[in-house]
């Protein structure tokens, strides 16, 4: 399966829509998008993972790398995810303690604005 990426600004926060599989082959495209957004002074990011069917360690690395980039500017990178198979990956790796993980884009944006 391919990876579809899109993004839009909402309340001053960039929301990245991800659809498909994030793996060793597709993760570089997500990495490029996150780097591009940060290079354009977008330090508050929400990554919407609801339509992601698969996430491997390469994809996790891209998300952690994105988090490091925004944190260098006192920013944040939150996730929107309710799928158990994807949430399980975040739980097993301990990344639920690192990322804000929310059920909806609205909740993620509200959490980001409270910081």
């Amino acid at each position: 399966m391919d990876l579809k990426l899109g993004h839009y600004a909402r309340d001053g926060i960039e929301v990245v829509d991800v659809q498909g599989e994030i793996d060793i082959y597709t993760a570089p495209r997500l990495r490029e998008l996150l780097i591009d957004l940060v290079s354009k002074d977008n330090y508050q990011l929400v990554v919407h993972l609801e339509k992601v069917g698969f996430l491997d360690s390469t994809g996790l690395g891209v998300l952690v790398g994105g988090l490091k980039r925004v944190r260098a500017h006192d920013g944040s990178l939150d996730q929107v995810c309710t799928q158990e198979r994807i949430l399980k990956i975040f739980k097993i790796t301990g990344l639920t303690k690192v990322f804000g993980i929310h059920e909806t884009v609205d909740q993620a944006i509200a959490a980001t604005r409270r910081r």
Side-chain angles (χ1 to χ4, degrees), residues 61-80:
V62 167
L63 294 172
V64 170
L67 179 63
K68 287 180 180 180
R69 282 184 182 82
V70 295
R71 282 195 175 165
H73 301 277
D74 294 321
S76 64
L77 191 151
D78 284 21
Q79 315 292 329
V80 175

Side-chain angles (χ1 to χ4, degrees), residues 36-72:
D36 185 53
L37 290 172
V38 172
S39 73
K40 293 178 180 168
D41 300 333
N42 295 293
Y43 307 129
Q44 307 296 325
L45 304 178
V46 171
V47 179
H48 191 198
L49 300 172
E50 280 301 285
K51 294 182 180 175
V52 170
F54 179 80
L55 175 67
D56 73 2
S57 60
T58 308
L60 283 177
V62 167
L63 294 172
V64 170
L67 179 63
K68 287 180 180 180
R69 282 184 182 82
V70 295
R71 282 195 175 165

